[in-house]
Amino acid sequence: LALVTGGQNYFGNAGIAPTQPGNEELSWEKLWTTNVALHLGFWNRLNLDVELYNKKTTDMLMAFPTAPSLGYSSYYANVGMVNRGVELSLSGAVVASKDFLWSVNANVSYNKNKITELYNGVTEYEMSSTNTKLVVGHPVGEFYINRFAGVNPANGDALWYTKDGEITTEMR
């Protein structure tokens, strides 16, 4: 049995109205999903399920922090993202008799996401105090931190590697 599905699916957050008055650039989130699934059964004892998926989201609502002096802590903007992955599940009856059943199940999944678009043409956005950035072409949740190089024996200050491999006392 193989199943192929696809379609759009538009939800949004009505609560954005009070937090983002007058922002006419916002639009409803759109999701295009394609799944391909395969279910195989052998000897009424062994089952294999494989599912591949591709989910493309456009105009996804995301909150971005603002300066406190603006009167509100965040604003919403539309961004885009792609999620792709595979899910595998294997189950089987090790012992199957009239009065006893012993079965095992194992599953594994892999997901890769990528930001396809940020707001207003921005290609990267640093999430303050989280050591993470949102960068077009990269996954959500990537950390951008300096690698620890040890401690200066003369004064105990922390040492860090720069992106060029040099040692510095500055974390950024």
mmCIF file of all heavy atoms in Angstrom, residues 3 16 41 48 52 65 73 101 110 130 132 140 145 171:
data_model
loop_
_atom_site.group_PDB
_atom_site.id
_atom_site.type_symbol
_atom_site.label_atom_id
_atom_site.label_comp_id
_atom_site.label_asym_id
_atom_site.label_seq_id
_atom_site.Cartn_x
_atom_site.Cartn_y
_atom_site.Cartn_z
ATOM 1 N N LEU A 3 0.756 5.504 -0.265
ATOM 2 C CA LEU A 3 -0.163 6.613 -0.126
ATOM 3 C C LEU A 3 0.573 7.899 -0.448
ATOM 4 O O LEU A 3 1.642 8.154 0.083
ATOM 5 C CB LEU A 3 -0.701 6.657 1.307
ATOM 6 C CG LEU A 3 -1.553 7.844 1.693
ATOM 7 C CD1 LEU A 3 -2.870 7.781 0.935
ATOM 8 C CD2 LEU A 3 -1.805 7.828 3.181
ATOM 9 N N ILE A 16 -2.633 38.047 17.093
ATOM 10 C CA ILE A 16 -1.597 38.988 16.670
ATOM 11 C C ILE A 16 -2.156 40.398 16.535
ATOM 12 O O ILE A 16 -1.410 41.361 16.583
ATOM 13 C CB ILE A 16 -0.946 38.565 15.341
ATOM 14 C CG1 ILE A 16 -1.949 38.583 14.207
ATOM 15 C CG2 ILE A 16 -0.277 37.240 15.462
ATOM 16 C CD1 ILE A 16 -1.334 38.412 12.853
ATOM 17 N N GLY A 41 3.913 -5.905 5.063
ATOM 18 C CA GLY A 41 3.709 -6.937 6.071
ATOM 19 C C GLY A 41 4.170 -8.274 5.538
ATOM 20 O O GLY A 41 3.941 -8.604 4.365
ATOM 21 N N LEU A 48 6.770 -3.426 8.320
ATOM 22 C CA LEU A 48 7.690 -2.319 8.070
ATOM 23 C C LEU A 48 6.873 -1.149 7.543
ATOM 24 O O LEU A 48 6.115 -1.291 6.589
ATOM 25 C CB LEU A 48 8.750 -2.711 7.041
ATOM 26 C CG LEU A 48 9.677 -1.580 6.566
ATOM 27 C CD1 LEU A 48 10.548 -1.082 7.707
ATOM 28 C CD2 LEU A 48 10.529 -2.048 5.397
ATOM 29 N N LEU A 52 7.968 9.190 4.051
ATOM 30 C CA LEU A 52 8.772 10.340 3.654
ATOM 31 C C LEU A 52 7.857 11.550 3.622
ATOM 32 O O LEU A 52 6.717 11.453 3.169
ATOM 33 C CB LEU A 52 9.371 10.130 2.260
ATOM 34 C CG LEU A 52 10.234 8.888 2.080
ATOM 35 C CD1 LEU A 52 10.492 8.644 0.609
ATOM 36 C CD2 LEU A 52 11.537 9.037 2.824
ATOM 37 N N PRO A 65 11.658 39.843 19.130
ATOM 38 C CA PRO A 65 11.682 40.826 20.218
ATOM 39 C C PRO A 65 11.973 42.234 19.709
ATOM 40 O O PRO A 65 12.618 42.416 18.685
ATOM 41 C CB PRO A 65 12.805 40.337 21.133
ATOM 42 C CG PRO A 65 13.599 39.375 20.326
ATOM 43 C CD PRO A 65 12.743 38.886 19.199
ATOM 44 N N SER A 73 6.802 44.066 23.797
ATOM 45 C CA SER A 73 8.017 43.266 23.879
ATOM 46 C C SER A 73 8.374 42.539 22.590
ATOM 47 O O SER A 73 9.509 42.124 22.416
ATOM 48 C CB SER A 73 7.890 42.248 25.013
ATOM 49 O OG SER A 73 6.803 41.385 24.751
ATOM 50 N N LEU A 101 1.906 -13.826 23.337
ATOM 51 C CA LEU A 101 2.437 -13.012 22.246
ATOM 52 C C LEU A 101 3.559 -12.143 22.794
ATOM 53 O O LEU A 101 3.379 -11.414 23.776
ATOM 54 C CB LEU A 101 1.345 -12.115 21.635
ATOM 55 C CG LEU A 101 1.821 -11.116 20.582
ATOM 56 C CD1 LEU A 101 2.362 -11.841 19.356
ATOM 57 C CD2 LEU A 101 0.717 -10.157 20.195
ATOM 58 N N TYR A 110 14.174 10.962 11.107
ATOM 59 C CA TYR A 110 15.166 11.974 10.763
ATOM 60 C C TYR A 110 14.427 13.164 10.177
ATOM 61 O O TYR A 110 13.565 12.997 9.311
ATOM 62 C CB TYR A 110 16.167 11.416 9.742
ATOM 63 C CG TYR A 110 17.104 12.458 9.211
ATOM 64 C CD1 TYR A 110 18.191 12.886 9.963
ATOM 65 C CD2 TYR A 110 16.902 13.036 7.961
ATOM 66 C CE1 TYR A 110 19.060 13.863 9.475
ATOM 67 C CE2 TYR A 110 17.761 14.000 7.470
ATOM 68 C CZ TYR A 110 18.832 14.408 8.230
ATOM 69 O OH TYR A 110 19.685 15.374 7.754
ATOM 70 N N THR A 130 20.533 34.269 23.353
ATOM 71 C CA THR A 130 20.305 32.835 23.197
ATOM 72 C C THR A 130 21.456 32.125 22.483
ATOM 73 O O THR A 130 21.468 30.908 22.416
ATOM 74 C CB THR A 130 19.021 32.565 22.379
ATOM 75 O OG1 THR A 130 19.215 33.058 21.052
ATOM 76 C CG2 THR A 130 17.802 33.188 23.018
ATOM 77 N N THR A 132 21.843 31.948 19.422
ATOM 78 C CA THR A 132 21.326 31.349 18.201
ATOM 79 C C THR A 132 21.005 32.452 17.197
ATOM 80 O O THR A 132 20.765 33.590 17.573
ATOM 81 C CB THR A 132 20.048 30.520 18.454
ATOM 82 O OG1 THR A 132 19.037 31.366 18.978
ATOM 83 C CG2 THR A 132 20.312 29.359 19.402
ATOM 84 N N VAL A 140 16.688 25.956 11.782
ATOM 85 C CA VAL A 140 16.320 26.640 13.022
ATOM 86 C C VAL A 140 17.057 25.946 14.155
ATOM 87 O O VAL A 140 17.188 24.727 14.164
ATOM 88 C CB VAL A 140 14.797 26.550 13.260
ATOM 89 C CG1 VAL A 140 14.424 27.087 14.628
ATOM 90 C CG2 VAL A 140 14.050 27.282 12.177
ATOM 91 N N ILE A 145 28.271 30.215 18.703
ATOM 92 C CA ILE A 145 29.037 30.623 19.876
ATOM 93 C C ILE A 145 30.514 30.385 19.605
ATOM 94 O O ILE A 145 30.885 29.546 18.786
ATOM 95 C CB ILE A 145 28.603 29.858 21.149
ATOM 96 C CG1 ILE A 145 28.705 28.351 20.951
ATOM 97 C CG2 ILE A 145 27.198 30.227 21.565
ATOM 98 C CD1 ILE A 145 28.414 27.547 22.196
ATOM 99 N N MET A 171 34.350 37.346 23.789
ATOM 100 C CA MET A 171 33.482 36.226 23.431
ATOM 101 C C MET A 171 32.895 36.410 22.037
ATOM 102 O O MET A 171 32.520 35.468 21.387
ATOM 103 C CB MET A 171 32.363 36.059 24.450
ATOM 104 C CG MET A 171 31.494 34.894 24.160
ATOM 105 S SD MET A 171 31.038 34.064 25.637
ATOM 106 C CE MET A 171 29.926 32.851 24.995
#
